[in-house]
Amino acid sequence: MKKTLLAPSLLSADFSDLSGAIKKIENDGGSIVHIDVMDGAFVPQITYGQPVIKSIRKLTDLPFDVHLMVEKPELMVDSFAEAGADWITFHYESTVHLDRLIHHIHDLGKKCGISIVPSTPVSFLSQILHLVDLVLVMSVNPGFGGQSFIPYTLDKISELKKIREEQGLDFKISVDGGVNEKNFAEIADAGADILVSGSSFFSGKLKWEK
Ligand code: DX5
Ligand code: ZN
């Protein structure tokens, strides 16, 4: 059986010690570094951007999945690619010309993820699922770490898994928000290939073996 991968979210790290946070991700079972970029417009907080990613890029060989919670992501993908993103994930709800942006990210030589907030149905992705490398199912309303998993998002994970099988597609399913030591098995069973975890991982509650 395929092993579910853990992608710890830097949002819950101590920002005064990002180097220590990256070491913990490497040592405690992380396969991907999940980097939440917030612009204070698509979501209320502002986190970090290209210069921070550039400086932590040299600390690890683990892939970076940059989760853009920003308006107009098309204005930023070149500079995030340049800064060291391996995967660039943007929100369905944040822009209009999804097809163009997905192709542009691929032209930059990067993997492309598309994310949906809890209230966006999976069916809205029907025209573009064959183009993306990853679907990031938000299981909380984006913007903050430490929120509770929204149970109805489990059905969206299963729905994506079913569509992927029926249509012979190969995008990864990643789940982000409220994943913890109590619910991770159920979420993985529903079809998640990648579990993003911030607070539960950095508080030491969610233990993971690669
Ligand atoms: C929320 C972010 C998530 C979040 C996960 O907007 O996209 O990545 O940091 O944190 P936890 O695991 O604490 O919900
Ligand atoms: Zn995220």
Side-chain angles (χ1 to χ4, degrees):
M1 206 180 110
K2 204 159 43 89
K3 183 105 174 67
T4 308
L5 301 179
L6 184 70
S9 163
L10 272 191
L11 186 61
S12 298
D14 174 357
F15 290 179
S16 70
D17 182 17
L18 288 176
S19 172
I22 297 275
K23 277 199 194 86
K24 177 171 169 59
I25 292 172
E26 286 188 331
N27 295 337
D28 292 354
S31 294
I32 299 163
V33 183
H34 183 88
I35 303 179
D36 288 305
V37 174
M38 304 185 185
D39 67 348
F42 184 72
V43 290
Q45 294 200 102
I46 298 174
T47 50
Y48 29 63
Q50 299 88 334
V52 172
I53 292 173
K54 196 168 184 179
S55 56
I56 59 172
R57 181 64 282 182
K58 54 183 177 286
L59 299 174
T60 181
D61 291 330
L62 287 177
F64 283 2
D65 180 17
V66 174
H67 175 194
L68 294 177
M69 284 165 276
V70 304
E71 290 184 353
K72 297 194 188 305
E74 61 275 14
L75 301 181
M76 303 177 198
V77 294
D78 291 53
S79 52
F80 278 105
E82 169 79 24
D86 299 287
W87 297 67
I88 298 179
T89 297
F90 67 95
H91 269 265
Y92 168 85
E93 303 84 6
S94 67
T95 191
V96 174
H97 303 294
L98 302 155
D99 178 283
R100 178 188 290 154
L101 187 52
I102 295 164
H103 282 107
H104 183 67
I105 291 169
H106 285 152
D107 288 346
L108 292 167
K110 306 299 174 184
K111 302 272 192 194
C112 178
I114 189 80
S115 184
I116 47 175
V117 303
S119 59
T120 299
V122 165
S123 60
F124 283 16
L125 301 179
S126 61
Q127 303 302 321
I128 53 165
L129 279 179
H130 67 288
L131 297 175
V132 295
D133 303 293
L134 174 140
V135 178
L136 182 69
V137 177
M138 288 302 304
S139 40
V140 298
N141 291 294
F144 305 95
Q147 304 180 80
S148 298
F149 185 88
I150 297 175
Y152 70 74
T153 61
L154 268 182
D155 293 340
K156 296 168 74 175
I157 302 164
S158 324
E159 189 182 345
L160 277 163
K161 188 180 175 204
K162 187 161 172 269
I163 293 171
R164 183 173 63 187
E165 276 163 18
E166 284 171 0
Q167 299 185 13
L169 301 175
D170 63 0
F171 57 83
K172 304 268 183 254
I173 301 170
S174 180
V175 180
D176 185 7
V179 176
N180 61 37
E181 69 286 0
K182 297 192 185 108
N183 62 17
F184 75 87
E186 191 183 6
I187 300 166
D189 283 350
D193 307 296
I194 301 166
L195 296 174
V196 176
S197 174
S199 45
S200 180
F201 174 81
F202 278 102
S203 67
K205 289 186 189 138
L206 179 63
K207 312 272 186 206
W208 207 257
E209 271 184 45
K210 274 195 205 182

